[in-house]
Amino acid sequence: TQLLEQSPQFLSIQEGENLTVYCNSSSVFSSLQWYRQEPGEGPVLLVTVVTGGEVKKLKRLTFQFGDARKDSSLHITAAQPGDTGLYLCAGPEGGSYIPTFGRGTSLIVHP
Amino acid sequence: DVKVTQSSRYLVKRTGEKVFLECVQDMDHENMFWYRQDPGLGLRLIYFSYDVKMKEKGDIPEGYSVSREKKERFSLILESASTNQTSMYLCASSSPRGRTDTQYFGPGTRLTVL
């Protein structure tokens, strides 16, 4: 059973479009992280959300943590080809310091 | 600037060979991890270590072993490589002194077992 479900699994869009990626769980997380992984590279941390209802912005990327701390979303405004990559959400379950990873959303932005 | 390095970006080995994957971090992190990443399956934890000479099994330890003789170095060993171990291997580190939920990853080693 996958603790963190990400949707959609794949996304192929044109430059300039907006998109939202979702990360859902039936478990409560003390925090959730979003990583981006470019082809042939390791994941790189984008943001950590900690408080229920928290919203963080990173340029054109907006991250939200659900009020109940069971879900999170990533919204990209006016996507660019440089946003292409695999987006992973992750979070430590219970009192563990080891994060559980979702399976990722593969995003391709066409010029 | 934090850095996790892995000894090889690409590796091709034959079935039955012993394979060593090395990972080094320069952040003085206590925790180190080995994952494998396969399409559709995401990242799966193989082993982790929270201190020198300490190791714990992750979700899929079968066929693998690890070694942590120094704080900065964590090695993954495939005792007898098999074709189903063809995968992308990612090393990561984190610190209990900072945000323990934040992991810093190396660039990965793409291993092919023929």
Side-chain angles (χ1 to χ4, degrees):
Chain A
T1 304
Q2 188 70 18
L3 275 177
L4 283 170
E5 298 283 349
Q6 285 190 243
S7 63
Q9 190 176 355
F10 300 100
L11 206 49
S12 180
I13 61 172
Q14 293 297 126
E15 183 175 0
E17 290 186 38
N18 301 332
L19 67 115
T20 302
V21 175
Y22 299 93
C23 176
N24 296 298
S25 175
S26 56
S27 302
V28 175
F29 286 83
S30 57
S31 67
L32 273 179
Q33 295 78 47
W34 284 93
Y35 294 82
R36 179 168 66 210
Q37 184 179 18
E38 298 185 9
E41 300 293 332
V44 175
L45 180 71
L46 294 174
V47 78
T48 297
V49 286
V50 179
T51 307
E54 182 177 5
V55 176
K56 281 192 174 178
K57 292 196 174 185
L58 191 66
K59 297 183 181 177
R60 293 175 293 100
L61 278 60
T62 301
F63 305 84
Q64 185 161 6
F65 201 11
D67 291 339
R69 291 185 288 126
K70 292 183 178 181
D71 56 87
S72 181
S73 64
L74 158 59
H75 181 79
I76 301 179
T77 303
Q80 297 178 0
D83 296 327
T84 292
L86 180 69
Y87 289 82
L88 295 159
C89 67
E93 187 196 4
S96 171
Y97 64 86
I98 301 169
T100 297
F101 283 83
R103 292 184 181 175
T105 293
S106 181
L107 170 66
I108 298 174
V109 182
H110 301 278
Chain B
D1 202 16
V2 298
K3 201 158 188 184
V4 179
T5 57
Q6 294 184 230
S7 51
S8 305
R9 295 297 297 270
Y10 300 94
L11 212 50
V12 179
K13 296 291 182 180
R14 297 210 173 270
T15 301
E17 280 192 78
K18 192 168 186 176
V19 182
F20 292 88
L21 302 182
E22 301 281 335
C23 175
V24 177
Q25 51 94 3
D26 65 358
M27 297 164 282
D28 200 34
H29 283 173
E30 286 78 2
N31 308 322
M32 295 188 75
F33 308 82
W34 274 106
Y35 295 89
R36 64 177 282 176
Q37 184 177 31
D38 301 288
L41 297 178
L43 272 72
R44 292 182 291 168
L45 183 63
I46 305 171
Y47 266 97
F48 64 99
S49 168
Y50 54 87
D51 203 352
V52 175
K53 296 193 184 294
M54 306 301 289
K55 60 184 179 184
E56 294 285 344
K57 292 180 179 180
D59 300 318
I60 52 163
E62 296 78 20
Y64 304 94
S65 62
V66 290
S67 172
R68 190 143 181 226
E69 296 297 319
K70 292 184 178 182
K71 189 177 186 180
E72 67 271 18
R73 190 179 298 268
F74 192 34
S75 303
L76 179 69
I77 303 150
L78 286 66
E79 294 290 341
S80 178
S82 63
T83 54
N84 63 13
Q85 291 178 310
T86 291
S87 186
M88 172 73 131
Y89 289 87
L90 291 164
C91 173
S93 71
S94 71
S95 172
R97 292 172 279 112
R99 286 209 62 89
T100 58
D101 48 16
T102 298
Q103 296 200 322
Y104 297 89
F105 285 87
T109 296
R110 186 163 292 283
L111 173 66
T112 301
V113 182
L114 302 175

